[in-house]
Amino acid sequence: MSLISIENLTFGYEGNLNNVFENVTFNIDTDWKLGLIGRNGKGKTTFLNLLLGKYQYSGKISKNVQFDYFPFEVNETEKLTIEIVNEIAPNVEDWEIIKELNLLNADTEILYKRFVLLSGGEQIKILLISLFLKSNNFLLIDEPTNHLDVNTRNNLVEYLNKKKGFILVSHDRNFLDKVVDHIISINNTNIEIQKGNFSSWQENKDKQDNFELIQNEKLTKDIKRLEIASKNTARWSDKIEKSKYNTTNSGSSLDRGYIGHQSAKMMKKSKVMEKRIEKYIDEKTNLLNNVDRKENLKIIPLESKKNPLIIGSNLQIKYNNRPIFKKVSFEIRDGDRVAIVGKNGVGKTSILNLIIGKEIMYSGELKITNDLKISYVSQSTSKLKGKLKEYSKENKIDEGIFKAMLSKMGISSTEFNKDMEQMSEGQKKKVLIARSISEQAHIYVWDEPLNYIDILTRIQIEEAIFRYKPTMIFVEHDEAFIKNVATKVIKLVN
């Protein structure tokens, strides 16, 4: 057994007022399979980079293991893919590479394409087989499941279950449950480590949050009651003290000693109450600091009087006059939430592109209701540039509603003046989703909306969909999201 020891770690980016980490101390056993979780922007990738020695920090990080970071950095993306694999995992033979590709249901032809021309899912698969073929040190794995189909995720589960220890950043609840035995959670005010998987961590977190909410409510009531009682007692003490200089109805003097004693007694009681108030206030300050307040997102879909909205009959999309999946037929009615599933490269995104009006070669029939208003979320965030204010104007959405949705998804107001190019991938995806749910539409067409999105926000999105029941067609690889949201599934096979 060896340890990674973190002592009084403090780090902040230059120009930022607040530190990402402040005097953080904990130990990690390198035999543990750790899931690293937290809201977007809380410092998960930053922590991995600190372990790798990429940033200067104060405090101490002690380790006696070597790290490998995934995804591997590819600098010369114009090279053939097979050259990239050979650079990451030298001394492996071509048959070994092809064997791993077959296990991931990937076409071996991609080995002889330039890496830059591969889809996001294909690039991740290539980096995964490089990981499987390479003799690895202690792994720091940063969001490996983005763009990956369910089968490939299961292949990765099998690989990680054979590994001795690693730190894994992932927002896929099912994936975490299958591969980790400890959770590191980066909270609002601290970092905690718990034994177990994501589900057990979530159960414990919910219990702790509920306890703190109940305790906070109780202390709030107690403080209010004591404040009223303390003021009344102090007022009575003052009144009694003043009365000792009066006379009785018969004209005789009052017993000033007795009255003074009663006044002091009442004042002492008031002071005791004040101390209890201070104690309860101190207790309250230690509550709710790490409670994630799941504020409700809002969607206002447009209702359509026409049904069905979209009909696909014997639909087949073609590349170079060759069909890429078997014929499918489907219809989307008002209120349906349709998931398109299938392996990477089978044509899921192509169907969405066809619906939003892109020119794609296909056979069969696709009927779309006239005047159908569509809100679209793309896979890519590459077009996001400039400030949020200008972005909301360009997209003709209410800036106040748009920013309110972003705030509810955990983006602070200090981020609002950033150029979107400086945002993390998770924050950029939140911009796309916030824009979409700020639009009124008959149907929401979302292409892998959850890539890089933290778990809490995924749950917020799910709950908003349950509450407002928008009509949707989407591509997503998060099994929990599909199970919780979809009312219909279109499965593509080739």
Side-chain angles (χ1 to χ4, degrees), residues 343-385:
K343 70 177 188 179
N344 291 124
V346 77
K348 301 183 297 295
T349 293
S350 297
I351 289 183
L352 299 188
N353 285 336
L354 200 58
I355 289 171
I356 65 173
K358 290 190 177 180
E359 289 188 13
I360 292 176
M361 186 180 293
Y362 71 97
S363 62
E365 193 172 28
L366 182 70
K367 292 181 180 178
I368 300 176
T369 299
N370 291 334
D371 302 320
L372 190 69
K373 188 170 182 184
I374 295 172
S375 178
Y376 175 63
V377 171
S378 67
Q379 272 189 41
S380 173
T381 61
S382 59
K383 292 182 179 180
L384 291 179
K385 295 173 184 176

mmCIF file of all heavy atoms in Angstrom, residues 343-385:
data_model
loop_
_atom_site.group_PDB
_atom_site.id
_atom_site.type_symbol
_atom_site.label_atom_id
_atom_site.label_comp_id
_atom_site.label_asym_id
_atom_site.label_seq_id
_atom_site.Cartn_x
_atom_site.Cartn_y
_atom_site.Cartn_z
ATOM 1 N N LYS A 343 -24.577 2.528 -31.545
ATOM 2 C CA LYS A 343 -23.143 2.681 -31.330
ATOM 3 C C LYS A 343 -22.622 3.943 -32.002
ATOM 4 O O LYS A 343 -23.300 4.545 -32.858
ATOM 5 C CB LYS A 343 -22.400 1.449 -31.820
ATOM 6 C CG LYS A 343 -22.369 1.266 -33.324
ATOM 7 C CD LYS A 343 -21.537 0.049 -33.691
ATOM 8 C CE LYS A 343 -21.335 -0.032 -35.211
ATOM 9 N NZ LYS A 343 -20.517 -1.184 -35.601
ATOM 10 N N ASN A 344 -21.415 4.356 -31.636
ATOM 11 C CA ASN A 344 -20.798 5.533 -32.237
ATOM 12 C C ASN A 344 -20.683 5.367 -33.750
ATOM 13 O O ASN A 344 -20.307 4.304 -34.245
ATOM 14 C CB ASN A 344 -19.391 5.763 -31.664
ATOM 15 C CG ASN A 344 -19.413 6.199 -30.216
ATOM 16 O OD1 ASN A 344 -18.799 5.574 -29.381
ATOM 17 N ND2 ASN A 344 -20.147 7.252 -29.896
ATOM 18 N N GLY A 345 -21.017 6.450 -34.469
ATOM 19 C CA GLY A 345 -20.872 6.441 -35.914
ATOM 20 C C GLY A 345 -22.013 5.820 -36.685
ATOM 21 O O GLY A 345 -21.953 5.727 -37.913
ATOM 22 N N VAL A 346 -23.095 5.390 -35.984
ATOM 23 C CA VAL A 346 -24.189 4.710 -36.680
ATOM 24 C C VAL A 346 -25.173 5.680 -37.332
ATOM 25 O O VAL A 346 -26.007 5.277 -38.140
ATOM 26 C CB VAL A 346 -24.930 3.745 -35.714
ATOM 27 C CG1 VAL A 346 -25.853 4.513 -34.780
ATOM 28 C CG2 VAL A 346 -25.686 2.662 -36.462
ATOM 29 N N GLY A 347 -25.085 6.974 -36.991
ATOM 30 C CA GLY A 347 -25.939 7.948 -37.655
ATOM 31 C C GLY A 347 -26.955 8.652 -36.779
ATOM 32 O O GLY A 347 -27.899 9.266 -37.287
ATOM 33 N N LYS A 348 -26.772 8.618 -35.474
ATOM 34 C CA LYS A 348 -27.736 9.241 -34.552
ATOM 35 C C LYS A 348 -27.801 10.756 -34.767
ATOM 36 O O LYS A 348 -28.891 11.334 -34.914
ATOM 37 C CB LYS A 348 -27.332 8.921 -33.099
ATOM 38 C CG LYS A 348 -27.286 7.441 -32.779
ATOM 39 C CD LYS A 348 -26.960 7.167 -31.334
ATOM 40 C CE LYS A 348 -25.592 7.639 -30.903
ATOM 41 N NZ LYS A 348 -24.478 6.913 -31.593
ATOM 42 N N THR A 349 -26.624 11.384 -34.799
ATOM 43 C CA THR A 349 -26.576 12.832 -35.014
ATOM 44 C C THR A 349 -27.127 13.200 -36.384
ATOM 45 O O THR A 349 -27.756 14.261 -36.546
ATOM 46 C CB THR A 349 -25.127 13.340 -34.861
ATOM 47 O OG1 THR A 349 -24.730 13.176 -33.493
ATOM 48 C CG2 THR A 349 -24.996 14.810 -35.231
ATOM 49 N N SER A 350 -26.928 12.333 -37.359
ATOM 50 C CA SER A 350 -27.412 12.619 -38.719
ATOM 51 C C SER A 350 -28.927 12.763 -38.754
ATOM 52 O O SER A 350 -29.466 13.612 -39.479
ATOM 53 C CB SER A 350 -26.966 11.509 -39.672
ATOM 54 O OG SER A 350 -25.560 11.457 -39.749
ATOM 55 N N ILE A 351 -29.640 11.940 -37.973
ATOM 56 C CA ILE A 351 -31.103 12.070 -37.921
ATOM 57 C C ILE A 351 -31.500 13.422 -37.336
ATOM 58 O O ILE A 351 -32.401 14.101 -37.842
ATOM 59 C CB ILE A 351 -31.735 10.919 -37.116
ATOM 60 C CG1 ILE A 351 -31.631 9.613 -37.910
ATOM 61 C CG2 ILE A 351 -33.194 11.210 -36.788
ATOM 62 C CD1 ILE A 351 -32.282 8.420 -37.251
ATOM 63 N N LEU A 352 -30.818 13.840 -36.276
ATOM 64 C CA LEU A 352 -31.110 15.148 -35.689
ATOM 65 C C LEU A 352 -30.820 16.259 -36.692
ATOM 66 O O LEU A 352 -31.594 17.223 -36.809
ATOM 67 C CB LEU A 352 -30.294 15.362 -34.414
ATOM 68 C CG LEU A 352 -30.515 14.385 -33.261
ATOM 69 C CD1 LEU A 352 -29.767 14.853 -32.011
ATOM 70 C CD2 LEU A 352 -31.991 14.213 -32.940
ATOM 71 N N ASN A 353 -29.701 16.137 -37.425
ATOM 72 C CA ASN A 353 -29.349 17.148 -38.421
ATOM 73 C C ASN A 353 -30.397 17.224 -39.530
ATOM 74 O O ASN A 353 -30.707 18.303 -40.046
ATOM 75 C CB ASN A 353 -27.972 16.847 -39.020
ATOM 76 C CG ASN A 353 -26.845 17.184 -38.058
ATOM 77 O OD1 ASN A 353 -27.013 18.010 -37.162
ATOM 78 N ND2 ASN A 353 -25.703 16.549 -38.227
ATOM 79 N N LEU A 354 -30.948 16.070 -39.885
ATOM 80 C CA LEU A 354 -31.998 16.031 -40.902
ATOM 81 C C LEU A 354 -33.246 16.774 -40.409
ATOM 82 O O LEU A 354 -33.869 17.545 -41.150
ATOM 83 C CB LEU A 354 -32.340 14.571 -41.205
ATOM 84 C CG LEU A 354 -33.044 14.248 -42.523
ATOM 85 C CD1 LEU A 354 -32.231 14.736 -43.716
ATOM 86 C CD2 LEU A 354 -33.290 12.748 -42.620
ATOM 87 N N ILE A 355 -33.577 16.566 -39.123
ATOM 88 C CA ILE A 355 -34.766 17.211 -38.541
ATOM 89 C C ILE A 355 -34.608 18.732 -38.478
ATOM 90 O O ILE A 355 -35.567 19.477 -38.720
ATOM 91 C CB ILE A 355 -35.062 16.621 -37.146
ATOM 92 C CG1 ILE A 355 -35.582 15.182 -37.290
ATOM 93 C CG2 ILE A 355 -36.064 17.476 -36.380
ATOM 94 C CD1 ILE A 355 -35.700 14.430 -35.980
ATOM 95 N N ILE A 356 -33.392 19.200 -38.182
ATOM 96 C CA ILE A 356 -33.206 20.655 -38.062
ATOM 97 C C ILE A 356 -32.960 21.316 -39.414
ATOM 98 O O ILE A 356 -32.732 22.525 -39.493
ATOM 99 C CB ILE A 356 -32.076 21.022 -37.071
ATOM 100 C CG1 ILE A 356 -30.720 20.537 -37.576
ATOM 101 C CG2 ILE A 356 -32.392 20.501 -35.689
ATOM 102 C CD1 ILE A 356 -29.541 21.020 -36.730
ATOM 103 N N GLY A 357 -32.985 20.512 -40.501
ATOM 104 C CA GLY A 357 -32.962 21.105 -41.836
ATOM 105 C C GLY A 357 -31.653 21.081 -42.567
ATOM 106 O O GLY A 357 -31.518 21.719 -43.627
ATOM 107 N N LYS A 358 -30.660 20.353 -42.087
ATOM 108 C CA LYS A 358 -29.392 20.266 -42.808
ATOM 109 C C LYS A 358 -29.556 19.346 -44.018
ATOM 110 O O LYS A 358 -30.352 18.405 -43.997
ATOM 111 C CB LYS A 358 -28.279 19.759 -41.889
ATOM 112 C CG LYS A 358 -27.873 20.766 -40.826
ATOM 113 C CD LYS A 358 -26.611 20.331 -40.107
ATOM 114 C CE LYS A 358 -26.179 21.383 -39.087
ATOM 115 N NZ LYS A 358 -24.948 20.995 -38.373
ATOM 116 N N GLU A 359 -28.779 19.619 -45.037
ATOM 117 C CA GLU A 359 -28.868 18.823 -46.262
ATOM 118 C C GLU A 359 -28.083 17.522 -46.097
ATOM 119 O O GLU A 359 -26.861 17.536 -45.998
ATOM 120 C CB GLU A 359 -28.331 19.621 -47.454
ATOM 121 C CG GLU A 359 -29.240 20.770 -47.861
ATOM 122 C CD GLU A 359 -28.797 21.422 -49.162
ATOM 123 O OE1 GLU A 359 -27.951 20.825 -49.856
ATOM 124 O OE2 GLU A 359 -29.295 22.519 -49.455
ATOM 125 N N ILE A 360 -28.804 16.427 -46.040
ATOM 126 C CA ILE A 360 -28.211 15.106 -45.859
ATOM 127 C C ILE A 360 -28.903 14.148 -46.831
ATOM 128 O O ILE A 360 -30.131 14.188 -46.984
ATOM 129 C CB ILE A 360 -28.381 14.624 -44.401
ATOM 130 C CG1 ILE A 360 -27.532 15.490 -43.472
ATOM 131 C CG2 ILE A 360 -28.001 13.158 -44.247
ATOM 132 C CD1 ILE A 360 -27.696 15.176 -42.008
ATOM 133 N N MET A 361 -28.114 13.280 -47.458
ATOM 134 C CA MET A 361 -28.683 12.325 -48.394
ATOM 135 C C MET A 361 -29.392 11.212 -47.620
ATOM 136 O O MET A 361 -28.821 10.633 -46.697
ATOM 137 C CB MET A 361 -27.570 11.726 -49.270
ATOM 138 C CG MET A 361 -28.089 10.815 -50.381
ATOM 139 S SD MET A 361 -26.738 10.134 -51.368
ATOM 140 C CE MET A 361 -26.128 11.630 -52.157
ATOM 141 N N TYR A 362 -30.648 10.933 -48.007
ATOM 142 C CA TYR A 362 -31.387 9.870 -47.339
ATOM 143 C C TYR A 362 -32.417 9.273 -48.280
ATOM 144 O O TYR A 362 -32.756 9.851 -49.325
ATOM 145 C CB TYR A 362 -32.066 10.404 -46.071
ATOM 146 C CG TYR A 362 -33.238 11.324 -46.309
ATOM 147 C CD1 TYR A 362 -34.541 10.843 -46.277
ATOM 148 C CD2 TYR A 362 -33.041 12.684 -46.566
ATOM 149 C CE1 TYR A 362 -35.629 11.700 -46.487
ATOM 150 C CE2 TYR A 362 -34.112 13.532 -46.773
ATOM 151 C CZ TYR A 362 -35.405 13.043 -46.736
ATOM 152 O OH TYR A 362 -36.473 13.885 -46.957
ATOM 153 N N SER A 363 -32.919 8.099 -47.891
ATOM 154 C CA SER A 363 -34.030 7.485 -48.610
ATOM 155 C C SER A 363 -35.165 7.281 -47.622
ATOM 156 O O SER A 363 -34.983 7.400 -46.406
ATOM 157 C CB SER A 363 -33.602 6.148 -49.227
ATOM 158 O OG SER A 363 -33.220 5.225 -48.217
ATOM 159 N N GLY A 364 -36.334 6.929 -48.127
ATOM 160 C CA GLY A 364 -37.507 6.840 -47.268
ATOM 161 C C GLY A 364 -38.182 8.202 -47.194
ATOM 162 O O GLY A 364 -37.996 9.068 -48.056
ATOM 163 N N GLU A 365 -38.920 8.423 -46.140
ATOM 164 C CA GLU A 365 -39.705 9.652 -46.039
ATOM 165 C C GLU A 365 -39.587 10.261 -44.647
ATOM 166 O O GLU A 365 -39.591 9.558 -43.644
ATOM 167 C CB GLU A 365 -41.183 9.327 -46.331
ATOM 168 C CG GLU A 365 -42.042 10.551 -46.559
ATOM 169 C CD GLU A 365 -43.441 10.167 -47.027
ATOM 170 O OE1 GLU A 365 -43.910 9.061 -46.677
ATOM 171 O OE2 GLU A 365 -44.067 10.975 -47.721
ATOM 172 N N LEU A 366 -39.448 11.566 -44.613
ATOM 173 C CA LEU A 366 -39.448 12.312 -43.349
ATOM 174 C C LEU A 366 -40.419 13.471 -43.490
ATOM 175 O O LEU A 366 -40.210 14.374 -44.305
ATOM 176 C CB LEU A 366 -38.054 12.827 -42.996
ATOM 177 C CG LEU A 366 -37.956 13.576 -41.662
ATOM 178 C CD1 LEU A 366 -38.143 12.616 -40.489
ATOM 179 C CD2 LEU A 366 -36.621 14.307 -41.535
ATOM 180 N N LYS A 367 -41.503 13.457 -42.715
ATOM 181 C CA LYS A 367 -42.506 14.523 -42.738
ATOM 182 C C LYS A 367 -42.414 15.333 -41.445
ATOM 183 O O LYS A 367 -42.452 14.767 -40.356
ATOM 184 C CB LYS A 367 -43.910 13.942 -42.867
ATOM 185 C CG LYS A 367 -44.202 13.285 -44.206
ATOM 186 C CD LYS A 367 -45.635 12.764 -44.222
ATOM 187 C CE LYS A 367 -45.966 12.091 -45.546
ATOM 188 N NZ LYS A 367 -47.348 11.531 -45.540
ATOM 189 N N ILE A 368 -42.295 16.640 -41.589
ATOM 190 C CA ILE A 368 -42.216 17.548 -40.431
ATOM 191 C C ILE A 368 -43.346 18.567 -40.545
ATOM 192 O O ILE A 368 -43.534 19.191 -41.596
ATOM 193 C CB ILE A 368 -40.853 18.259 -40.361
ATOM 194 C CG1 ILE A 368 -39.720 17.221 -40.236
ATOM 195 C CG2 ILE A 368 -40.808 19.238 -39.201
ATOM 196 C CD1 ILE A 368 -38.326 17.821 -40.256
ATOM 197 N N THR A 369 -44.108 18.721 -39.482
ATOM 198 C CA THR A 369 -45.236 19.658 -39.461
ATOM 199 C C THR A 369 -44.786 21.071 -39.823
ATOM 200 O O THR A 369 -43.713 21.526 -39.393
ATOM 201 C CB THR A 369 -45.881 19.671 -38.054
ATOM 202 O OG1 THR A 369 -46.360 18.372 -37.767
ATOM 203 C CG2 THR A 369 -47.034 20.649 -37.986
ATOM 204 N N ASN A 370 -45.604 21.746 -40.614
ATOM 205 C CA ASN A 370 -45.301 23.140 -40.981
ATOM 206 C C ASN A 370 -45.235 24.035 -39.735
ATOM 207 O O ASN A 370 -45.950 23.818 -38.758
ATOM 208 C CB ASN A 370 -46.379 23.691 -41.927
ATOM 209 C CG ASN A 370 -46.315 23.029 -43.292
ATOM 210 O OD1 ASN A 370 -45.253 22.560 -43.706
ATOM 211 N ND2 ASN A 370 -47.448 23.000 -43.984
ATOM 212 N N ASP A 371 -44.367 25.037 -39.822
ATOM 213 C CA ASP A 371 -44.229 26.051 -38.757
ATOM 214 C C ASP A 371 -43.825 25.441 -37.415
ATOM 215 O O ASP A 371 -44.151 25.987 -36.348
ATOM 216 C CB ASP A 371 -45.535 26.846 -38.589
ATOM 217 C CG ASP A 371 -45.961 27.527 -39.877
ATOM 218 O OD1 ASP A 371 -45.071 28.043 -40.583
ATOM 219 O OD2 ASP A 371 -47.167 27.515 -40.176
ATOM 220 N N LEU A 372 -43.126 24.327 -37.456
ATOM 221 C CA LEU A 372 -42.660 23.692 -36.213
ATOM 222 C C LEU A 372 -41.457 24.475 -35.684
ATOM 223 O O LEU A 372 -40.435 24.611 -36.373
ATOM 224 C CB LEU A 372 -42.266 22.239 -36.485
ATOM 225 C CG LEU A 372 -41.983 21.368 -35.256
ATOM 226 C CD1 LEU A 372 -43.265 21.102 -34.473
ATOM 227 C CD2 LEU A 372 -41.345 20.044 -35.675
ATOM 228 N N LYS A 373 -41.581 25.006 -34.475
ATOM 229 C CA LYS A 373 -40.469 25.758 -33.885
ATOM 230 C C LYS A 373 -39.569 24.805 -33.116
ATOM 231 O O LYS A 373 -40.023 24.089 -32.223
ATOM 232 C CB LYS A 373 -40.992 26.868 -32.964
ATOM 233 C CG LYS A 373 -39.866 27.782 -32.481
ATOM 234 C CD LYS A 373 -40.373 29.013 -31.771
ATOM 235 C CE LYS A 373 -39.195 29.890 -31.364
ATOM 236 N NZ LYS A 373 -39.624 31.056 -30.573
ATOM 237 N N ILE A 374 -38.284 24.790 -33.486
ATOM 238 C CA ILE A 374 -37.309 23.836 -32.935
ATOM 239 C C ILE A 374 -36.261 24.587 -32.123
ATOM 240 O O ILE A 374 -35.754 25.627 -32.537
ATOM 241 C CB ILE A 374 -36.624 23.052 -34.069
ATOM 242 C CG1 ILE A 374 -37.639 22.167 -34.806
ATOM 243 C CG2 ILE A 374 -35.476 22.204 -33.537
ATOM 244 C CD1 ILE A 374 -37.089 21.499 -36.056
ATOM 245 N N SER A 375 -35.933 24.046 -30.953
ATOM 246 C CA SER A 375 -34.794 24.531 -30.173
ATOM 247 C C SER A 375 -33.727 23.447 -30.194
ATOM 248 O O SER A 375 -33.980 22.302 -29.831
ATOM 249 C CB SER A 375 -35.218 24.836 -28.731
ATOM 250 O OG SER A 375 -34.100 25.265 -27.982
ATOM 251 N N TYR A 376 -32.522 23.822 -30.615
ATOM 252 C CA TYR A 376 -31.464 22.826 -30.883
ATOM 253 C C TYR A 376 -30.250 23.035 -29.983
ATOM 254 O O TYR A 376 -29.784 24.167 -29.801
ATOM 255 C CB TYR A 376 -31.049 22.932 -32.354
ATOM 256 C CG TYR A 376 -29.886 22.050 -32.750
ATOM 257 C CD1 TYR A 376 -29.979 20.665 -32.682
ATOM 258 C CD2 TYR A 376 -28.700 22.619 -33.213
ATOM 259 C CE1 TYR A 376 -28.911 19.859 -33.055
ATOM 260 C CE2 TYR A 376 -27.626 21.824 -33.597
ATOM 261 C CZ TYR A 376 -27.737 20.447 -33.524
ATOM 262 O OH TYR A 376 -26.677 19.646 -33.887
ATOM 263 N N VAL A 377 -29.754 21.938 -29.405
ATOM 264 C CA VAL A 377 -28.483 21.939 -28.668
ATOM 265 C C VAL A 377 -27.532 21.011 -29.404
ATOM 266 O O VAL A 377 -27.814 19.822 -29.566
ATOM 267 C CB VAL A 377 -28.668 21.465 -27.217
ATOM 268 C CG1 VAL A 377 -27.310 21.260 -26.542
ATOM 269 C CG2 VAL A 377 -29.487 22.477 -26.415
ATOM 270 N N SER A 378 -26.402 21.562 -29.869
ATOM 271 C CA SER A 378 -25.439 20.766 -30.628
ATOM 272 C C SER A 378 -24.438 20.083 -29.695
ATOM 273 O O SER A 378 -24.282 20.470 -28.535
ATOM 274 C CB SER A 378 -24.679 21.656 -31.611
ATOM 275 O OG SER A 378 -23.850 22.569 -30.911
ATOM 276 N N GLN A 379 -23.757 19.074 -30.235
ATOM 277 C CA GLN A 379 -22.660 18.428 -29.488
ATOM 278 C C GLN A 379 -21.550 19.418 -29.205
ATOM 279 O O GLN A 379 -20.987 19.466 -28.128
ATOM 280 C CB GLN A 379 -22.065 17.280 -30.321
ATOM 281 C CG GLN A 379 -22.717 15.945 -30.178
ATOM 282 C CD GLN A 379 -21.894 14.869 -30.869
ATOM 283 O OE1 GLN A 379 -20.670 14.865 -30.780
ATOM 284 N NE2 GLN A 379 -22.566 13.966 -31.552
ATOM 285 N N SER A 380 -21.200 20.190 -30.214
ATOM 286 C CA SER A 380 -20.018 21.040 -30.157
ATOM 287 C C SER A 380 -20.303 22.381 -29.489
ATOM 288 O O SER A 380 -21.377 22.962 -29.652
ATOM 289 C CB SER A 380 -19.487 21.284 -31.571
ATOM 290 O OG SER A 380 -18.434 22.222 -31.564
ATOM 291 N N THR A 381 -19.314 22.867 -28.750
ATOM 292 C CA THR A 381 -19.414 24.195 -28.137
ATOM 293 C C THR A 381 -18.458 25.176 -28.824
ATOM 294 O O THR A 381 -18.255 26.283 -28.343
ATOM 295 C CB THR A 381 -19.054 24.125 -26.641
ATOM 296 O OG1 THR A 381 -17.697 23.655 -26.512
ATOM 297 C CG2 THR A 381 -19.983 23.177 -25.890
ATOM 298 N N SER A 382 -17.861 24.767 -29.952
ATOM 299 C CA SER A 382 -16.775 25.534 -30.580
ATOM 300 C C SER A 382 -17.219 26.920 -31.063
ATOM 301 O O SER A 382 -16.388 27.811 -31.232
ATOM 302 C CB SER A 382 -16.178 24.750 -31.743
ATOM 303 O OG SER A 382 -17.168 24.473 -32.718
ATOM 304 N N LYS A 383 -18.521 27.091 -31.313
ATOM 305 C CA LYS A 383 -18.995 28.383 -31.836
ATOM 306 C C LYS A 383 -19.266 29.413 -30.739
ATOM 307 O O LYS A 383 -19.618 30.552 -31.034
ATOM 308 C CB LYS A 383 -20.262 28.173 -32.666
ATOM 309 C CG LYS A 383 -20.016 27.405 -33.959
ATOM 310 C CD LYS A 383 -21.287 27.272 -34.774
ATOM 311 C CE LYS A 383 -21.022 26.521 -36.074
ATOM 312 N NZ LYS A 383 -22.248 26.368 -36.883
ATOM 313 N N LEU A 384 -19.110 29.012 -29.478
ATOM 314 C CA LEU A 384 -19.387 29.944 -28.375
ATOM 315 C C LEU A 384 -18.231 30.922 -28.199
ATOM 316 O O LEU A 384 -17.133 30.541 -27.784
ATOM 317 C CB LEU A 384 -19.637 29.169 -27.077
ATOM 318 C CG LEU A 384 -20.930 28.359 -27.007
ATOM 319 C CD1 LEU A 384 -21.031 27.637 -25.676
ATOM 320 C CD2 LEU A 384 -22.159 29.238 -27.223
ATOM 321 N N LYS A 385 -18.497 32.176 -28.504
ATOM 322 C CA LYS A 385 -17.494 33.229 -28.370
ATOM 323 C C LYS A 385 -18.179 34.500 -27.893
ATOM 324 O O LYS A 385 -19.373 34.683 -28.098
ATOM 325 C CB LYS A 385 -16.801 33.490 -29.721
ATOM 326 C CG LYS A 385 -15.975 32.303 -30.214
ATOM 327 C CD LYS A 385 -15.452 32.544 -31.607
ATOM 328 C CE LYS A 385 -14.707 31.296 -32.110
ATOM 329 N NZ LYS A 385 -14.254 31.447 -33.499
#
